[in-house]
Amino acid sequence: VVSDINKDGKQEVVFGSFLQEAHKRNIRVIFDVAINHSSDQHPWFLNSQKIEENEFSDYYIWRDSPDEYLEARLLFKGIEDSNWEKLGDRYYFHRFFSFQPDLNYRNPDVLLSMSQNLLYWQSVGVDGFRADAIPYLWKEDGTSCENLDLTHVIVKFFRAILDFVQPGTLLLAEACQKPKEVVKYMGNNDECHAAYHFPLMPMIFKSIAQGNSEPIKHILSSSVTPLLRNDNQWFSFLRVHDELSLELVYVSEEDRKYIYDNYCHKPEWDFRVGEGISARLSELMNRDVSKIALSYSIMLTLLGTPVVYYGDEFGKLNDENYYNEQIKLTGKDDTRFFVRGRIDWEKLELDLKDSEGFHSQVYSIISSMLNIRKEYMAFGRGDLDFTDVVDLSGKNLPEILSYTRTYDNEKILVVNNLSSEEQVIVNPLEDNNLALLNMNGFTMDDDSMVLKPKGFAWFLVV
C-alpha cells in the first residue's frame, strides 16, 4: 500500500484531504494496520520467494518441511487446514489465511521496516493505529506462539518510536485473549494505550438470552477484569465488527455452545466451526428493535470506549450478494462476508424517511443514545458500580442489570431489563433525585419503575 501510494501521488493527496476534513470536524482517524502478516501479493513476499538470496529472503518464515510451531492453534478452523502452506518446494507459516503470510520478527529488518510503515502513516496525519493480531507477533517452537515475552518487546519498540515522533498517537491492541492477558499489552504506559475487551461482548449476548445479569457482572468483576491505569482504556463492541466471536481462548465450551445455539439462526452463518457467528447485530437479534436497543444501552453505558460498526447504526442486514461475490473473488468460504458489503445510499435515504420502518426506528434510537452519551464524561471515564434491584415485595431481580457510572461531580444510573417480561422495580437510588436522560419501554411513578420487556432507562443523579 505504501509503495503504491508513493508511486501515485494522487492517492496520497486524496487520503491527506480526507484526514484534513476529518480533523476540521474534530474527528480523529485510527488506521487499521496488519503488523503480524502481509498479503501474499506484497512486494516483500514476492521477493522472498525468489531462489536467489535478497534482502527480503528472511522477511517471512520459510521451511523445507512443516515441522515447527505445531502447537500453535489453527485460528481459521474450517477454512484453513494448516498453519503451513506449500509454495514450490518450500513451506511458509501463516496464522490466518494462506494468502496472509506471517512476518518474521526474528529478522530485525522486519521490525525496522514495519516501524517505517507506521511512521509513514503517522506523517500523513493518521491519529492512531489499531494493531491487528498483536498476540501472535513472536513465535517460538514448542509454544502456543501467543503472548510470548518478546512480543511485548516489539510493541514497546513501536510505542517508543511513535511517541518520539508524535506523542499521543494512539495504539489500540486487538488481542483476542482473556482480560488478565490483554492488560499486559498496555504495559507500564509503554505499550498500547487501549485494548478491545473481547470477553465482555459474548457475555452481553449471553445475559440477554438468559435474561440474567450475572454473566456481565462476573466478566467485569475485579477478579476477571483488572482495573486499568487512568491513562489506559477498554474499547467495547457488539461483535468483533464482522462476527460474534466465540473463541475458546476466552469463552468456555459451555458458553460457546449456549450463545451459538441461541444466536446462529441459520447454519450458513457459522464461522470457524462454531467459534464465531457471521451475522449483523440486527440479524442476531431477529430484527427486534427492542433487543437491538437494549444491547446498545448496555454497550454504550458499561466500561470502555464504544465501537459502532458501519451500518449497525441503522440496522444493516446481512449481504448475501456480497458474500457470494467475495467467495468467487477470494476462493475462500469466509462467512464474514455476509457482514460486510456495500450500502445503497439512495435506498437508505428512503428507508430513513419512513418513521415506522425498521431502519428508521433503529437509527432514531441509536443516534439519540450516542448524542446523549457524548454529553457526559461519566459514561466514558466513570467508575462502574453494580446496584442490587428488588421488586415491590423485596425480591432480588437478577433480570435487571443496574449500575452507576461516577466521574467527578457526575453520576449516572442505568437500569436494563434483560428479560422478556415486564418488571416492576423499586428505585435503586430512592434517596436521590433522578433526571431521565434516555429510555425505551419505561415508565415511573413516585414509588416504582416499570420496565417493559427489554426496556431500559438512563438517569442523571441530581
Side-chain angles (χ1 to χ4, degrees):
V1 173
V2 176
S3 60
D4 287 345
I5 285 179
N6 287 338
K7 291 176 184 177
D8 185 355
K10 292 181 181 179
Q11 293 185 45
E12 182 174 355
V13 170
V14 170
F15 187 68
S17 297
F18 160 73
L19 288 174
Q20 290 178 7
E21 289 300 318
H23 292 158
K24 286 179 183 177
R25 291 163 169 78
N26 201 28
I27 297 173
R28 297 186 180 184
V29 178
I30 301 174
F31 197 93
D32 187 12
V33 59
I35 54 177
N36 175 72
H37 49 266
S38 79
S39 164
D40 63 356
Q41 301 302 306
H42 195 286
W44 294 351
F45 188 72
L46 296 177
N47 280 294
S48 77
Q49 301 174 36
K50 295 179 180 178
I51 297 176
E52 63 276 10
E53 188 170 335
N54 60 76
E55 62 177 306
F56 301 105
S57 297
D58 198 29
Y59 263 52
Y60 298 85
I61 302 170
W62 290 96
R63 296 292 184 270
D64 292 331
S65 59
D67 54 5
E68 285 187 65
Y69 311 130
L70 300 182
E71 295 182 35
R73 64 191 172 107
L74 188 64
L75 298 175
F76 277 4
K77 292 189 297 183
I79 304 176
E80 297 289 349
D81 298 323
S82 169
N83 286 322
W84 291 96
E85 184 75 9
K86 190 173 185 180
L87 186 61
D89 295 328
R90 295 189 299 166
Y91 295 82
Y92 63 87
F93 186 78
H94 61 92
R95 290 306 301 270
F96 298 94
F97 285 118
S98 57
F99 54 74
Q100 295 172 319
D102 277 34
L103 291 162
N104 177 24
Y105 277 95
R106 291 180 178 274
N107 179 355
D109 289 337
V110 170
L111 179 64
L112 294 176
S113 293
M114 186 56 68
S115 299
Q116 289 177 324
N117 190 24
L118 296 174
L119 291 171
Y120 170 81
W121 290 114
Q122 188 185 52
S123 72
V124 171
V126 168
D127 300 290
F129 299 94
R130 174 190 179 274
D132 182 67
I134 207 169
Y136 315 114
L137 298 179
W138 190 261
K139 288 85 173 169
E140 290 183 12
D141 198 24
T143 75
S144 66
C145 296
E146 297 181 30
N147 305 313
L148 300 179
D149 289 344
L150 286 176
T151 301
H152 294 280
V153 175
I154 297 170
V155 180
K156 290 177 192 293
F157 190 90
F158 289 152
R159 171 69 182 271
I161 62 168
L162 291 172
D163 276 357
F164 180 79
V165 175
Q166 182 64 54
T169 302
L170 179 73
L171 264 182
L172 170 62
E174 192 244 2
C176 307
Q177 306 286 325
K178 293 180 179 179
K180 288 186 177 180
E181 197 65 51
V182 175
V183 295
K184 297 177 183 178
Y185 288 101
M186 301 185 211
N188 185 24
N189 201 27
D190 58 355
E191 293 189 42
C192 293
H193 301 82
Y196 291 106
H197 197 310
F198 279 88
L200 171 60
M201 173 263 303
M203 292 303 103
I204 292 176
F205 285 90
K206 181 183 177 182
S207 282
I208 292 175
Q210 280 191 340
N212 191 320
S213 61
E214 289 308 312
I216 290 175
K217 289 181 178 179
H218 173 70
I219 202 67
L220 290 179
S221 64
S222 58
S223 62
V224 179
T225 297
L227 290 174
L228 300 181
R229 300 161 52 102
N230 289 335
D231 42 14
N232 294 135
Q233 177 71 311
W234 292 111
F235 274 50
S236 56
F237 51 92
L238 295 167
R239 302 163 308 114
V240 141
H241 67 264
D242 52 12
E243 60 158 316
L244 199 176
S245 180
L246 300 171
E247 285 194 43
L248 295 175
V249 71
Y250 59 79
V251 178
S252 70
E253 173 55 34
E254 180 183 5
D255 284 344
R256 184 209 64 78
K257 185 178 186 308
Y258 178 83
I259 297 168
Y260 185 90
D261 289 346
N262 276 274
Y263 290 100
C264 192
H265 307 307
K266 295 183 179 181
E268 56 264 35
W269 295 355
D270 179 83
F271 180 58
R272 295 191 297 182
V273 194
E275 287 195 25
I277 305 171
S278 297
R280 284 272 178 177
L281 180 68
S282 56
E283 303 279 32
L284 294 167
M285 296 299 181
N286 282 320
R287 308 185 189 184
D288 184 323
V289 175
S290 62
K291 282 187 177 181
I292 296 170
L294 174 64
S295 64
Y296 268 99
S297 173
I298 295 169
M299 192 267 284
L300 292 176
T301 60
L302 281 176
L303 288 178
T305 295
V307 178
V308 179
Y309 187 47
Y310 86 102
D312 279 359
E313 72 278 8
F314 62 86
K316 181 171 166 54
L317 305 177
N318 278 13
D319 191 331
E320 295 188 12
N321 290 332
Y322 187 78
Y323 165 70
N324 292 322
E325 288 174 11
Q326 294 304 307
I327 287 181
K328 292 178 182 178
L329 180 65
T330 66
K332 301 287 186 180
D333 185 7
D334 184 348
T335 59
R336 294 176 302 172
F337 288 124
F338 279 123
V339 185
R340 300 170 186 175
R342 307 172 185 88
I343 294 177
D344 184 334
W345 295 103
E346 291 183 4
K347 183 178 183 302
L348 176 61
E349 185 176 4
L350 293 175
D351 287 341
L352 295 183
K353 289 179 180 178
D354 177 10
S355 60
E356 300 301 317
F358 170 73
H359 296 298
S360 178
Q361 290 182 61
V362 172
Y363 180 77
S364 176
I365 290 173
I366 294 178
S367 59
S368 175
M369 286 185 187
L370 293 172
N371 286 329
I372 292 168
R373 187 190 186 279
K374 69 183 181 181
E375 297 297 322
Y376 298 93
M377 288 289 290
F379 286 122
R381 304 299 294 177
D383 294 333
L384 170 69
D385 294 291
F386 291 106
T387 57
D388 293 328
V389 177
V390 298
D391 63 15
L392 299 183
S393 69
K395 176 186 174 183
N396 187 59
L397 294 173
E399 298 94 336
I400 304 297
L401 176 67
S402 176
Y403 41 90
T404 58
R405 302 299 311 279
T406 307
Y407 182 82
D408 288 343
N409 61 345
E410 287 182 6
K411 186 172 185 178
I412 307 288
L413 169 68
V414 179
V415 289
N416 300 289
N417 180 11
L418 303 174
S419 77
S420 298
E421 304 291 333
E422 181 175 281
Q423 301 291 336
V424 181
I425 66 174
V426 175
N427 179 354
L429 300 179
E430 54 186 346
D431 294 332
N432 298 97
N433 293 321
L434 303 178
L436 184 63
L437 295 177
N438 188 31
M439 67 85 177
N440 189 51
F442 169 82
T443 57
M444 183 177 183
D445 59 31
D446 293 337
D447 300 317
S448 62
M449 299 178 175
V450 179
L451 289 162
K452 292 182 179 180
K454 309 303 180 185
F456 63 85
W458 306 354
F459 304 93
L460 179 65
V461 181
V462 293

